[in-house]
Amino acid sequence: MDEMRPSSGAAAHLGLASIFPPGLQAIYGESRRLYPDQANPLQVTAIVKYWLGGPDPLDYISMYRNVGCPGQDIPEHWHYVSLGLSDLYGDNRVHDLLVTHGFGFELTFRLKREAGETAPPTWPAELMQGLARYVFQSENTFCSGDHISWHSPLDNSESRIQHMLLTEDPQMLPVQTPFGHVSFLQIVGVCTEELQAAQQWNGQGILDLLRGVHIAGGPWLITDMRRGETIFDIDPHMQQERVDKGIETDGSNLSGVSAKCAWDDLSRPPEDEDDSRSICIGSQPRRLSDKDTEQIREALRKGLEIKSKSVLPPISILHFSRQSKSRKNSLESESSAAIVPHELVRTRQLESVHLKFNQESGTLLPLCLRGRLLHGRHFTYKSINGDTAITFVSTGVEGAFATEEHPYAAHGPWLQILLTEEFVEQMLADIQDLSTREVSKLPKEYSWPDKKLKISVLPDTVFDSPLQ
């Protein structure tokens, strides 16, 4: 539970900074640099701190009134700054010092001020707490260019602003605290079509387009919850001239997603007790080992890098120890401790496979093929319901255990599928209807008998078994 109150920043302004923890002093100092006349801003603060058992990880969210920059046509707005993702205290109360001093960033948000508004709305504080809960619970960190599918108006209204991109705050400079470097990542509210474009191309490209459209954010990327038009409504040529050309030239930076997905090995009977298929609907999947999990994380992390060659690190050289208490990066499973020792889980070549996706995941297949594999990269679907992972790789990806001779290969619950450029082009033609993203009748079936591959797009309910 949160409450809004004036901060005690005035004490620090009067020279009593010693009463504040050093990490807090550093972030307050950067805020005071921007807002010297707002030393005592309104704050939303957790009544019961997270380190005392409360539900909200952010100790405070400060709220400032920013006058904008009339010369650049930047409107007046509210500026929200979080305190709590970085290490404010330098002890073990929040962040395990054996791991790191905090997550190394704080969140900010800029909301257009409505005419006659005298106090900042507090709903952005709850939005920021929600994102912070995700970071603390998953130990996944954010970086500039990331996109967040929210699927709901950010302020619980009827707004079209239902998703988020992240970028560097245009005014808040990174600070060095006694406990490490802290940067400021700004939340930018976007429409569904803009999120989809970011998924298909890359977040930074869409952020640049938003900066060039005044009503869509402008140079400081200020969120206007009343915005009713996307950048593609405003400029119908932008999709084809900027986004489509960008995908064709650069490919997509999206290297993987958490998804509702499953796969079946059609080359062996399902009653086989030694079947190590990643998911059988209604059965308990085998766990990913720590080493497999680390390789998937590396696959996604390396997939974000623009390289001449995309590389999957070989399983044999990967080292990850739960005892090391290392921060988890994207896509590590919460239950990745191996049930079967890694050395005893062999890689199997499969003759025929059946892939299953829900509609949202299925609509990303054209992106996976066109934006990733045709550019010599890879793309991973990591199940949100278990340890299933499906990685598509192109012939240009090094280190994969799927090969042109054996294009379907599984290591425990992790399936790799190697697709040649010719087959990718064929698949793109056959699944063209998935590119529309319109709700259609399910299930959808796609089959390539000569390749012994089948793909089904199924309703969400198929994946909602309590055993997943």
Side-chain angles (χ1 to χ4, degrees):
M1 184 176 179
D2 297 330
E3 66 174 356
M4 185 170 73
R5 61 171 177 77
S7 75
S8 52
H13 187 65
L14 294 174
L16 302 180
S18 59
I19 69 173
F20 290 97
L24 199 61
Q25 290 179 35
I27 296 172
Y28 270 144
E30 177 59 16
S31 298
R32 286 196 302 273
R33 182 186 67 81
L34 285 183
Y35 304 105
D37 58 340
Q38 298 181 58
N40 194 26
L42 284 173
Q43 285 185 328
V44 173
T45 181
I47 295 176
V48 180
K49 302 301 183 192
Y50 192 69
W51 36 277
L52 294 175
D56 298 320
L58 300 176
D59 281 8
Y60 313 99
I61 297 100
S62 296
M63 302 178 287
Y64 299 92
R65 185 167 177 169
N66 191 305
V67 296
C69 184
Q72 298 182 46
D73 205 19
I74 295 171
E76 190 171 353
H77 58 278
W78 304 110
H79 193 195
Y80 300 76
V81 181
S82 77
L83 296 103
L85 284 161
S86 62
D87 192 349
L88 304 178
Y89 304 100
D91 54 29
N92 277 313
R93 74 180 76 179
V94 179
H95 299 284
D96 187 342
L97 298 187
L98 294 177
V99 179
T100 184
H101 283 292
F103 293 99
F105 70 96
E106 294 290 351
L107 293 170
T108 73
F109 183 61
R110 294 174 186 268
L111 177 67
K112 183 179 179 182
R113 177 177 171 268
E114 300 295 339
E117 219 169 35
T118 58
T122 57
W123 63 261
E126 180 52 39
L127 180 74
M128 296 167 85
Q129 288 284 18
L131 295 178
R133 281 191 287 270
Y134 165 77
V135 171
F136 271 79
Q137 291 166 12
S138 68
E139 296 187 350
N140 296 333
T141 58
F142 293 135
C143 61
S144 180
D146 281 352
H147 52 78
I148 301 168
S149 303
W150 200 250
H151 299 291
S152 177
L154 303 188
D155 61 352
N156 295 315
S157 67
E158 300 298 319
S159 174
R160 291 187 69 178
I161 308 299
Q162 301 189 9
H163 308 281
M164 291 165 273
L165 300 179
L166 294 174
T167 189
E168 297 93 350
D169 189 284
Q171 290 186 296
M172 301 282 287
L173 300 178
V175 297
Q176 187 68 34
T177 79
F179 315 125
H181 182 85
V182 179
S183 59
F184 296 91
L185 285 180
Q186 180 175 315
I187 300 164
V188 182
V190 296
C191 302
T192 299
E193 295 83 353
E194 294 155 354
L195 171 82
Q196 292 169 354
Q199 291 175 329
Q200 294 165 11
W201 183 22
N202 61 69
Q204 295 293 1
I206 299 305
L207 287 163
D208 287 342
L209 296 182
L210 291 166
R211 289 187 182 97
V213 180
H214 170 66
I215 65 173
W220 291 5
L221 293 170
I222 298 165
T223 298
D224 180 0
M225 294 303 297
R226 295 193 178 187
R227 175 162 69 97
E229 293 180 301
T230 72
I231 54 176
F232 308 114
D233 295 329
I234 297 167
D235 183 353
H237 301 292
M238 195 175 287
Q239 174 73 43
Q240 183 176 6
E241 294 179 358
R242 299 292 300 276
V243 178
D244 292 347
K245 285 186 178 179
I247 296 171
E248 183 180 349
T249 303
D250 307 328
S252 172
N253 273 7
L254 182 66
S255 58
V257 292
S258 297
K260 290 187 177 181
C261 61
W263 64 269
D264 285 329
D265 175 6
L266 298 182
S267 52
R268 67 166 54 188
E271 63 271 11
D272 190 330
E273 290 184 0
D274 191 39
D275 189 357
S276 60
R277 293 177 295 174
S278 58
I279 273 191
C280 304
I281 301 299
S283 68
Q284 179 65 32
R286 184 172 290 181
R287 302 289 190 189
L288 276 175
S289 73
D290 283 341
K291 291 185 178 181
D292 287 342
T293 298
E294 177 66 8
Q295 186 175 2
I296 293 173
R297 292 189 299 162
E298 278 297 305
L300 298 184
R301 188 157 56 242
K302 288 181 178 292
L304 294 173
E305 302 172 6
I306 305 301
K307 295 183 175 182
S308 58
K309 280 195 173 182
S310 191
V311 179
L312 283 169
I315 293 174
S316 60
I317 66 170
L318 295 169
H319 302 282
F320 177 79
S321 171
R322 184 69 52 135
Q323 286 71 35
S324 70
K325 297 186 178 180
S326 299
R327 282 286 186 213
K328 288 183 278 186
N329 231 315
S330 61
L331 291 196
E332 179 180 349
S333 168
E334 292 296 327
S335 56
S336 62
I339 290 178
V340 180
H342 174 269
E343 291 74 12
L344 300 182
V345 181
R346 63 188 178 89
T347 299
R348 296 191 298 111
Q349 284 77 44
L350 314 180
E351 293 182 9
S352 179
V353 294
H354 181 193
L355 312 181
K356 303 173 183 179
F357 302 97
N358 74 334
Q359 180 156 3
E360 183 176 8
S361 301
T363 58
L364 291 174
L365 281 169
L367 156 68
C368 162
L369 300 177
R370 180 178 293 108
R372 296 293 297 178
L373 268 66
L374 286 183
H375 290 264
R377 301 173 190 168
H378 49 78
F379 189 91
T380 296
Y381 288 92
K382 171 66 178 68
S383 175
I384 62 174
N385 294 330
D387 282 331
T388 307
I390 302 171
T391 296
F392 291 89
V393 298
S394 68
T395 53
V397 175
E398 297 180 351
F401 49 78
T403 65
E404 289 192 59
E405 184 180 0
H406 299 289
Y408 312 133
H411 194 87
W414 183 14
L415 174 69
Q416 285 187 9
I417 298 179
L418 186 144
L419 302 176
T420 64
E421 184 174 340
E422 181 182 6
F423 189 22
V424 169
E425 296 284 9
Q426 179 185 345
M427 291 178 66
L428 280 169
D430 293 339
I431 66 171
Q432 192 172 5
D433 57 325
L434 290 178
S435 301
T436 63
R437 292 183 174 265
E438 294 177 357
V439 177
S440 56
K441 187 175 180 180
L442 299 179
K444 283 180 171 289
E445 303 285 347
Y446 305 90
S447 182
W448 297 270
D450 59 322
K451 301 293 185 180
K452 298 183 179 180
L453 175 64
K454 179 180 179 181
I455 294 178
S456 297
V457 181
L458 305 169
D460 282 5
T461 53
V462 174
F463 302 88
D464 292 337
S465 164
L467 294 178
Q468 297 306 308

